[in-house]
Amino acid sequence: MRYIDYYERALYNHILSSQQASRITLIPFFRLHDSCYTLYFGQSAPDEWQQKQQALAQKAQMEAKLMAQTLDSVQPGEQQPESDHFFKASKSEAGLNGNRHWRHAEDWFSYQLDAKGEPQPILRLTYFGLDAGRRFDILINDKRLAEVTLPADKGPTFYSVDYPIPADMLLDSTVPFRVKFVAKPGSIAGGLYEVRLLKSEPSSTQ
C-alpha cells in the first residue's frame, strides 16, 4: 500500500462518515508547502449517504483485517519499497498501469521477505488480467514453489492469487528469505502489482 494512498483514503473516509462535514476547517494553501496533501470532496445524493457509509465501513474493515494478517509486503516498481526488500534483477522493467506500479522481467527479479517466525506463510501476488499467457516460476530460496501460467479469462482487472509456502522451504522462518520470479524461455515473469506475505490463516483467492 502506498503511504500517500493510505492517508488520502483515511481523510476521505473521515469526511464521508462525518455528519458534520460542513465544520471542516480549510487553511491557506501556502501553509501546506512542506506537506503531502490531496483532498477529495465526494458527492452523493441524500438517499445514497447511508449506503456509501456502509460500503466505506466494510472496506475499512477488510483493509484492517488484511493488514493484521500481513507479515511483509512489497510494491513492485516503487523505488523505496524495492530498496527496503533488497531488490535484484536481470532484464527487468517497471512501469505504471493507471496509478498502479508494476514490474516484470524477461529473465528474473527477486525480493527479500521476512516471515517473522511464521512457519507456513502464504505468498499473495497481484496480477493484471491482460498479461494472459505469461509463464514463469516462483522460487523460494532457489527452490521452486510454483509454475505459473497467467490465465486468459480475467479481462482488464487486477486479481490476486495465494501460494502457500510449505514449512520445509523455510528452514528457519525467523530468517528473511528470497522470493524469485524467473521467466520461462520466450516468456515474461510478471507483471506483479503487489507481493504480500500473509499469516497462514484461512483465506480465499481473490
Side-chain angles (χ1 to χ4, degrees):
M1 178 183 298
R2 295 173 59 218
Y3 296 117
I4 188 64
D5 287 345
Y6 173 84
Y7 289 110
E8 287 172 3
R9 284 200 296 271
L11 178 60
Y12 180 59
N13 292 350
H14 172 74
I15 292 172
L16 285 180
S17 63
S18 172
Q19 297 296 328
Q20 303 294 332
S22 61
R23 296 184 180 179
I24 296 171
T25 300
L26 302 179
I27 65 174
F29 181 81
F30 71 87
R31 294 185 188 174
L32 296 174
H33 71 279
D34 60 347
S35 303
C36 294
Y37 46 83
T38 301
L39 183 61
Y40 299 97
F41 289 94
Q43 294 181 338
S44 62
D47 58 349
E48 296 175 347
W49 184 258
Q50 292 298 326
Q51 183 178 356
K52 182 166 289 189
Q53 282 185 305
Q54 292 173 1
L56 288 170
Q58 184 178 17
K59 182 178 180 180
Q61 289 176 355
M62 293 176 62
E63 290 181 349
K65 182 178 179 180
L66 178 61
M67 291 304 297
Q69 193 183 354
T70 297
L71 297 164
D72 202 354
S73 65
V74 188
Q75 297 297 322
E78 294 192 24
Q79 182 178 0
Q80 191 60 51
E82 289 193 324
S83 176
D84 291 344
H85 291 84
F86 302 95
F87 166 73
K88 296 180 180 180
S90 171
K91 298 181 181 178
S92 180
E93 297 178 326
L96 277 170
N97 182 355
N99 63 352
R100 299 196 65 168
H101 290 260
W102 55 262
R103 179 170 292 284
H104 69 208
E106 294 181 4
D107 194 357
W108 62 269
F109 63 102
S110 70
Y111 302 108
Q112 182 174 288
L113 298 177
D114 189 353
K116 297 179 172 65
E118 180 71 32
Q120 294 178 276
I122 297 169
L123 180 67
R124 176 172 291 178
L125 304 178
T126 301
Y127 304 110
F128 186 61
L130 296 187
D131 289 334
R134 295 184 176 187
R135 299 179 299 111
F136 57 95
D137 291 332
I138 303 171
L139 307 182
I140 301 296
N141 289 337
D142 294 322
K143 297 179 181 179
R144 183 188 289 166
L145 173 66
E147 287 187 88
V148 178
T149 299
L150 297 183
D153 61 349
K154 297 297 184 180
T157 59
F158 297 99
Y159 65 98
S160 298
V161 179
D162 289 355
Y163 303 91
I165 301 176
D168 60 5
M169 292 193 108
L170 301 180
L171 298 180
D172 185 350
S173 60
T174 65
V175 176
F177 65 91
R178 185 156 292 275
V179 57
K180 188 175 184 180
F181 309 97
V182 183
K184 294 288 190 181
S187 193
I188 294 175
L192 295 184
Y193 289 80
E194 183 177 73
V195 176
R196 187 177 291 269
L197 195 65
L198 303 172
K199 298 176 184 176
S200 56
E201 300 175 357
S203 62
S204 58
T205 299
Q206 298 177 344

